Amino acid sequence: MKSQKHLTIVIKLGTSSIVDEKTHEPLLSILTLIVETAVKLHKDGHKVVIVSSGAIGVGLRRMDVEKRPKHLPRMQALAAVGQCRLMSLWDSLFNHLRQPVAQILLTRGDIADVSAKFPPLEAMRTQYLNAQNTFAELLNMGVIPIVNENDTLAVAEIKFGDNDTLSAITAAMVQADYLFLMTDVDCLYDKNPRTNSDAQAIEVVEDIASLEADVSTAGSSLGTGGMSTKIVAARLATSAGVTTVITRSSNPGNIINIVKYVQATKYSRNGSPSLPSPPADDPLSRSISSLYLDGLTRPPLHTRFLPDPQPIRDRYFWLLHGLAPHGTIYIDEGAYHALADKAGLLPVGVVEVEGHFAQQEAVKIVVVKRMRPYLSEGETYEKAKPVPTEVGRALVNYSASEISRIQGLRSHEIQSVLGYADSEYIALRENISFFKKEKGSRPVTPSLGLGSEHSFLEPAQI
């Protein structure tokens, strides 16, 4: 009999799901249910990772501080106090069910060395692989990793920005099947359900770019996220092939029922939830049988973002989302099409450089179309001016000042201009990764200050 391939499930909890917003007391009722749900999933053979916010909130309670401070050192000190208490709480609750857990604290610097002046590519990539291998080993040992951003040490340059983003990157790193973003509402709505009685639930999202949802729900006074950051996280996770779900944190049992329902429908005929007999080696065959017996024909209320059928994974995902870009290289359409055909980036295709960056640092790649020589009747210059289009990321072989001197030149001219020629390419093709085309938007990492309003060119197949 073939060995079963079980699911990997990442569960993200915000601060508002862990501590009371006013008293800062731990919400033991929710935490206990989360623990029971995680252990049940684990006993069913699935691998579970929890991404837990709440360190600062717990620190506020421990130190009898009323409000989240704005002063960074004080906030980091409270996070240091709170993280100890938070992990102790998780460990105590899981210990009641004899389930071992592990603490993993991450910053962007832990998966890409941004502290070294000229970090070699191999060293930066190795850190990401080390983190990936640690997750894999813990999960194989039957341990549930509990992940949080290392708020005690993180500064703006190496922060993920919020734990929604951290959970999406974690889900991609462990190649998860599901990412659950637990929040204080059941799902996304087309309008704010608190002020509009006719608000309609959004159950399934195939194209995030065309999503019309109310995102006015901000994060709690203790947290950093809101509904908009969850949509950004969903965009990022689905690009890595992860089914992403938004659902209510106060009813963690929904996680099991949603997974059962989604897996069951994969075996249904014509999308109907009627259930044929699943393959004998399917990891959820028992769950599906249970689902049939329970007569569950509708899943609990949630919003489900469908994964990209051609996900970006491993090295290319790391290039796009593991590294913080330090500048921008603008290229012409000819250079872009050459990259799409697997060629490297030559200096002749570079039209402008922006920012200050060194060798082997990440930069944004932006395509600039040529201006038409003549304006149409009634057309203004501003309307005719092409909009630059961001298409991906690259690790460069030359610094910003060097590229600005050799842009537009032939490769054989590099030596005469710089006095040396480390490479004929500004960036090797293997060090360039493109965003997936998403009908008007693409995955972004919010802590990097990127917008999602741009339309993007068709990327090369990776």
Side-chain angles (χ1 to χ4, degrees):
M1 180 178 174
K2 290 171 64 178
S3 60
Q4 293 182 351
K5 179 182 180 297
H6 299 292
L7 302 172
T8 300
I9 300 169
V10 177
I11 303 170
K12 185 269 174 182
L13 291 163
T15 301
S16 62
S17 300
I18 293 174
V19 298
D20 185 273
E21 188 172 354
K22 294 182 179 178
T23 67
H24 308 150
E25 292 280 358
L27 299 174
L28 293 176
S29 58
I30 294 179
L31 296 179
T32 301
L33 290 172
I34 286 288
V35 168
E36 290 177 352
T37 298
V39 171
K40 187 176 188 309
L41 287 167
H42 183 262
K43 286 183 176 178
D44 285 343
H46 309 306
K47 297 175 180 179
V48 180
V49 178
I50 292 176
V51 177
S52 169
S53 303
I56 294 175
V58 174
L60 291 172
R61 176 71 181 90
R62 181 70 180 89
M63 301 304 296
D64 291 322
V65 176
E66 290 187 6
K67 295 182 179 180
R68 180 186 175 109
K70 295 182 180 179
H71 188 49
L72 180 61
R74 187 167 181 81
M75 199 155 52
Q76 292 180 317
L78 286 170
V81 172
Q83 187 61 38
C84 292
R85 303 283 288 191
L86 178 63
M87 197 60 210
S88 176
L89 179 59
W90 280 120
D91 188 51
S92 175
L93 291 172
F94 275 105
N95 189 52
H96 287 299
L97 299 177
R98 301 177 62 84
Q99 172 61 50
V101 296
Q103 174 180 254
I104 296 183
L105 298 177
L106 290 175
T107 64
R108 195 177 294 277
D110 293 319
I111 59 174
D113 186 0
V114 295
S115 61
K117 184 63 178 175
F118 299 104
L121 175 61
E122 294 78 9
M124 292 191 290
R125 175 67 175 154
T126 297
Q127 290 180 239
Y128 183 88
L129 292 175
N130 284 344
Q132 196 173 49
N133 291 338
T134 299
F135 273 113
E137 192 63 28
L138 286 169
L139 293 172
N140 289 336
M141 291 168 59
V143 176
I144 293 180
I146 298 178
V147 184
N148 196 1
E149 181 153 25
N150 192 348
D151 292 318
T152 302
L153 300 177
V155 293
E157 185 181 9
I158 59 174
K159 282 182 71 67
F160 290 103
D162 59 81
N163 273 4
D164 292 322
T165 300
L166 174 59
S167 69
I169 290 178
T170 299
M173 192 182 297
V174 301
Q175 296 189 0
D177 299 282
Y178 290 89
L179 167 62
F180 281 85
L181 301 172
M182 311 302 286
T183 185
D184 57 356
V185 295
D186 293 303
C187 60
L188 284 177
Y189 291 87
D190 59 351
K191 303 175 186 176
N192 190 331
R194 294 166 179 164
T195 56
N196 296 274
S197 58
D198 60 341
Q200 297 293 312
I202 300 172
E203 297 183 2
V204 179
V205 178
E206 295 186 37
D207 176 23
I208 296 180
S210 63
L211 177 64
E212 294 183 5
D214 175 75
V215 294
S216 60
T217 305
S220 71
S221 61
L222 301 179
T224 58
M227 198 56 73
S228 61
T229 65
K230 287 172 177 56
I231 293 175
V232 171
R235 180 183 284 114
L236 197 160
T238 54
S239 76
V242 182
T243 298
T244 304
V245 177
I246 293 175
T247 192
R248 186 179 288 275
S249 61
S250 59
N251 191 359
N254 284 353
I255 294 173
I256 295 175
N257 291 330
I258 291 168
V259 171
K260 284 181 180 181
Y261 181 87
V262 175
Q263 292 298 116
T265 56
K266 289 183 179 180
Y267 300 104
S268 66
R269 296 185 179 94
N270 301 322
S272 168
S274 58
L275 303 172
S277 298
D281 62 346
D282 183 78
L284 273 177
S285 57
R286 287 179 300 166
S287 298
I288 292 173
S289 299
S290 171
L291 172 61
Y292 180 78
L293 292 173
D294 291 342
L296 182 62
T297 58
R298 294 283 299 173
L301 197 57
H302 69 284
T303 296
R304 183 168 75 257
F305 298 85
L306 302 185
D308 194 303
Q310 295 180 318
I312 301 171
R313 283 184 173 152
D314 297 329
R315 176 186 176 84
Y316 292 108
F317 185 90
W318 171 74
L319 284 170
L320 288 175
H321 304 293
L323 303 174
H326 293 266
T328 303
I329 292 179
Y330 295 88
I331 64 174
D332 60 32
E333 290 181 282
Y336 176 72
H337 292 307
L339 293 176
D341 288 334
K342 303 298 184 181
L345 178 59
L346 296 168
V348 69
V350 177
V351 297
E352 188 60 72
V353 181
E354 189 176 84
H356 301 280
F357 52 85
Q359 293 177 345
Q360 295 301 309
E361 286 190 328
V363 298
K364 304 175 191 177
I365 298 295
V366 175
V367 177
V368 180
K369 293 183 179 181
R370 298 290 184 185
M371 182 72 180
R372 298 197 311 274
Y374 301 103
L375 297 180
S376 303
E377 185 177 351
E379 187 178 30
T380 64
Y381 172 79
E382 287 301 321
K383 285 186 177 180
K385 186 178 179 182
V387 177
T389 305
E390 185 183 355
V391 294
R393 297 278 189 275
L395 285 173
V396 291
N397 294 326
Y398 293 95
S399 68
S401 60
E402 291 169 326
I403 296 174
S404 65
R405 293 173 62 191
I406 61 175
Q407 67 184 46
L409 301 180
R410 301 288 179 181
S411 295
H412 65 80
E413 298 177 283
I414 296 176
Q415 175 77 37
S416 61
V417 174
L418 298 181
Y420 51 88
D422 292 339
S423 172
E424 64 179 307
Y425 295 106
I426 297 295
L428 299 174
R429 183 60 184 84
E430 65 193 49
N431 293 335
I432 299 171
S433 184
F434 289 120
F435 295 114
K436 301 282 288 186
K437 184 180 180 183
E438 200 181 86
K439 298 180 182 179
S441 65
R442 51 91 176 139
V444 295
T445 307
S447 63
L448 308 182
L450 303 175
S452 60
E453 67 276 12
H454 306 296
S455 59
F456 290 85
L457 297 178
E458 180 83 48
Q461 294 297 315
I462 296 174

